[in-house]
Amino acid sequence: MKGIMIQGTSSDAGKSLIATALCRAFSNEGFRTAPFKSQNMSNNSYVTKDGNEIGRAQGIQAEAARTEAAVWMNPILLKPQSAQNAEVILLGKAVNSLSGRSYRESFYEKGLETIKEALSLLADQYELLVIEGAGSPVEINLKDKELVNMKVAEMADVPVILVADIDRGGVFASIVGTLELFTKQERQRVAGIIINKFRGDITLFEDGISWIEEKTGVPVLGVLPYLEDHMIDAEDSLSIQNAVPRAGEGILDIAVLRPPFISNFSDIDPFYYEDDVNIRWVRHLSEAGSPDAVIIPGTKSTIRDLRYFKEKGLADWIVRYAAAGGSIAGICGGYQMLGRRLIDMAGSDTGNPYEKEKGLNLIPADTIFHKRKKTVQVKGSLHSSTNLPIKEILDGYEIHLGETVLENDFDGNRLLLLQNGEEDGYYGNDGRLVGTYMHHIFHNDEWRGAWLNSLRKQKGIPSKEPVRIKALKDRKYSELAENMMQHLDWEKLKEIVFSWRKQNEMA
């Protein structure tokens, strides 16, 4: 199997972004390329064409590689539900909810077996794999049963490139420390180093490159600049803290409530590219302010996060905000919170069957949580009851356990008519109260533009044409690959990939 593995000296070092760039770069050179991450821990997920759930990063990397995303590209996905437990997604389907200790003790052998099967199937279908690690590969307390870093590199028998984040500081210590903590056999597999997120004059770091190479004996393949506005979906919510609000005259101020177990936060990404929109992530009442709109995003634990909002005073604030005529959009778990009652019949949301919680009571609907999760790509149009002149076919995906049932008298307040004949969501108060199960609804340009223009009208500022996000996305994959190739020794990296097995055989 030919391939390369990207490991990092820490979480959020940029592994996912670099793997995405490599997927496009190898695809550009004509190689049938697939991404792979054996085990992903993230609530930002991706629904494949056949209705399976994988980590969003691997779905995005498949798009960059110009191939169809499949469960074999991310056979194990862990979705945190609390500080102790995570839902285990195996080959695209939820199988259990386990604590960290239980997972390590009961799942390791099954995990190894599944990873071997996935690697074998991908090796039969593709010429080259771009494999991504997770966190740091030298967490000593976890190494004996790790399923995602050097163990996978050994199973696939591929070289490793170590990525270090210079922006966070301590880059020399993180590189040397990581290499020192590898076993001799593991260290021999590290064929190169990439310095990521560099700001400033690269000539000022030339002595640093020389020092790293002399100290470690491992070549530095390149120094990548800090990239902003790359439009590549982030893997986890660590990226939210790096989102920079925009400032300007007549700006639209949108507050996004940030629940502790936020999921699929990439729903918000398109707003960052509208130059008069300011996105603020809100966790405390003191941060709420007087926004032009509020978005309540998805969550892996709706009832638990609704209780969090109640404890923080944000739930009462939302109710007052709605009564004063404020604009609110709820997506998935956020949509569920807008209703009257949440009933966890199967215990699938809280872990406790028949547990109940009062919602915000803004929508005449109840949500009942069942055991079976719905994961599906969806398309549809705006419901005729919205009276909006938008002909765009909206597309997105659904990932949810709950079923939200509206009162019969409110059948005319639906947001979407899906192509499968189902109705979805809620549209009320002349569009000031919107809820939907469709993730990425705001990635649909005409709908996002219409929603923003309604806010602009209320604020007394001119309407605007939306940024065409969909047209930009594929171009951004190529720009990312081109940027990386400008700053990497690309020929050296390819030599590492294609000569690795030959070098091992000679040794």
Side-chain angles (χ1 to χ4, degrees):
M1 177 185 305
K2 291 199 181 326
I4 193 140
M5 186 169 194
I6 307 300
Q7 295 183 14
T9 58
S10 66
S11 294
D12 200 37
K15 299 183 293 292
S16 294
L17 197 67
I18 291 170
T20 303
L22 288 174
C23 282
R24 176 51 59 99
F26 283 119
S27 174
N28 283 345
E29 297 210 353
F31 297 103
R32 295 195 314 278
T33 305
F36 183 75
K37 186 167 185 174
S38 56
Q39 174 186 284
N40 206 334
M41 178 173 280
S42 175
N43 277 332
N44 204 29
S45 53
Y46 185 103
V47 175
T48 63
K49 192 173 182 180
D50 53 359
N52 289 306
E53 189 176 4
I54 63 174
R56 182 141 203 90
Q58 282 61 63
I60 292 299
Q61 289 160 9
E63 291 178 6
R66 300 185 178 93
T67 192
E68 189 73 44
V71 294
W72 306 109
M73 298 172 183
N74 175 215
I76 304 169
L77 173 63
L78 305 178
K79 303 188 74 175
Q81 294 174 302
S82 68
Q84 300 294 328
N85 284 48
E87 180 184 42
V88 180
I89 310 292
L90 181 65
L91 295 178
K93 301 297 182 185
V95 295
N96 211 339
S97 180
L98 297 172
S99 68
R101 180 173 294 278
S102 296
Y103 177 76
R104 280 172 55 78
E105 291 176 352
S106 65
F107 195 80
Y108 182 70
E109 295 300 329
K110 178 65 176 177
L112 281 180
E113 178 186 332
T114 304
I115 292 164
K116 288 177 183 177
E117 182 183 8
L119 285 170
S120 176
L121 285 167
L122 291 174
D124 288 342
Q125 297 176 35
Y126 294 94
E127 296 175 280
L128 191 148
L129 295 187
V130 176
I131 305 174
E132 181 185 340
S136 162
V138 288
E139 301 292 349
I140 302 303
N141 57 314
L142 301 176
K143 277 191 72 176
D144 63 323
K145 288 189 175 181
E146 67 100 349
L147 290 169
V148 71
N149 286 308
M150 275 300 179
K151 183 66 176 178
V152 174
E154 292 167 4
M155 291 167 68
D157 193 16
V158 295
V160 168
I161 304 299
L162 188 64
V163 178
D165 176 1
I166 195 171
D167 190 54
R168 70 173 64 204
V171 70
F172 299 103
S174 67
I175 292 170
V176 174
T178 299
L179 291 172
E180 285 296 319
L181 289 171
F182 280 136
T183 65
K184 182 179 180 181
Q185 184 178 7
E186 290 170 341
R187 182 164 175 161
Q188 289 174 344
R189 194 173 288 277
V190 180
I193 294 168
I194 293 175
I195 309 297
N196 195 26
K197 304 183 187 179
F198 185 85
R199 303 176 192 256
D201 183 352
I202 186 61
T203 61
L204 298 177
F205 193 66
E206 289 176 353
D207 289 345
I209 293 173
S210 299
W211 186 91
I212 291 169
E213 292 182 334
E214 291 172 7
K215 178 70 176 178
T216 67
V218 181
V220 174
L221 300 178
V223 180
L224 304 184
Y226 191 102
L227 293 180
E228 297 184 54
D229 294 343
H230 51 69
M231 290 185 71
I232 308 302
D233 296 1
E235 180 175 54
D236 58 48
S237 56
L238 281 174
S239 64
I240 293 176
Q241 64 197 28
N242 297 322
V244 180
R246 291 185 173 86
E249 294 182 3
I251 198 166
L252 286 178
D253 181 33
I254 299 179
V256 184
L257 300 194
R258 183 179 174 183
F261 297 99
I262 187 171
S263 68
N264 297 85
F265 54 87
S266 55
D267 287 333
I268 310 301
D269 285 356
F271 294 110
Y272 289 113
Y273 304 100
E274 301 282 355
D275 59 15
D276 66 342
V277 173
N278 172 35
I279 290 291
R280 292 187 294 110
W281 291 90
V282 174
R283 294 198 69 166
H284 304 283
L285 186 59
S286 60
E287 301 167 339
S290 301
D292 297 302
V294 174
I295 297 175
I296 309 176
T299 163
K300 190 66 189 72
S301 187
T302 304
I303 291 176
R304 188 175 285 113
D305 281 347
L306 175 57
R307 289 171 178 166
Y308 171 87
F309 290 148
K310 289 180 178 181
E311 291 169 4
K312 297 297 182 181
L314 287 167
D316 287 340
W317 173 76
I318 281 285
V319 173
R320 295 193 301 272
Y321 178 81
S327 295
I328 301 171
I331 303 173
C332 199
Y335 170 40
Q336 294 168 344
M337 291 181 190
L338 295 175
R340 298 177 302 193
R341 289 182 296 270
L342 297 95
I343 305 167
D344 193 5
M345 292 293 292
S348 54
D349 186 70
T350 62
N352 302 313
Y354 305 108
E355 191 155 346
K356 300 178 182 179
E357 186 68 25
K358 290 183 179 180
L360 299 174
N361 200 28
L362 298 177
I363 291 177
D366 295 333
T367 294
I368 301 173
F369 292 95
H370 301 293
K371 188 174 182 62
R372 187 173 179 180
K373 182 189 292 189
K374 184 175 184 179
T375 56
V376 63
Q377 292 184 1
V378 290
K379 291 185 177 183
S381 56
L382 288 178
H383 200 284
S384 59
S385 64
T386 64
N387 292 317
L388 293 174
I390 297 177
K391 302 302 181 185
E392 176 186 34
I393 298 299
L394 283 71
D395 61 14
Y397 57 96
E398 295 183 25
I399 305 177
H400 57 94
L401 288 160
E403 177 187 5
T404 299
V405 181
L406 295 175
E407 283 187 353
N408 291 333
D409 291 344
F410 290 86
D411 284 345
N413 288 70
R414 288 294 195 172
L415 176 65
L416 300 172
L417 178 62
L418 303 179
Q419 289 184 345
N420 62 9
E422 296 178 3
E423 296 177 316
D424 171 73
Y426 180 88
Y427 183 89
N429 296 353
D430 294 324
R432 292 193 303 278
L433 187 57
V434 173
T436 181
Y437 274 117
M438 182 187 280
H439 286 290
H440 276 206
I441 187 169
F442 285 114
H443 286 241
N444 294 279
D445 300 327
E446 286 187 45
W447 159 251
R448 184 182 69 259
W451 189 76
L452 287 174
N453 279 336
S454 70
L455 301 180
R456 293 181 180 112
K457 183 178 180 180
Q458 293 171 35
K459 199 175 181 71
I461 60 177
S463 295
K464 293 185 61 175
E465 284 292 312
V467 175
R468 299 294 170 179
I469 297 293
K470 290 187 175 183
L472 284 174
K473 192 171 184 181
D474 191 71
R475 191 190 318 160
K476 286 291 184 178
Y477 290 141
S478 292
E479 288 177 2
L480 179 67
E482 290 165 8
N483 182 286
M484 184 191 68
M485 291 174 71
Q486 289 174 10
H487 296 91
L488 281 187
D489 187 339
W490 178 240
E491 294 304 319
K492 177 64 175 177
L493 189 145
K494 285 196 296 182
E495 180 186 342
I496 289 170
V497 172
F498 294 107
S499 65
W500 175 258
R501 190 174 297 276
K502 184 181 295 185
Q503 289 176 359
N504 282 0
E505 289 171 355
M506 292 175 63

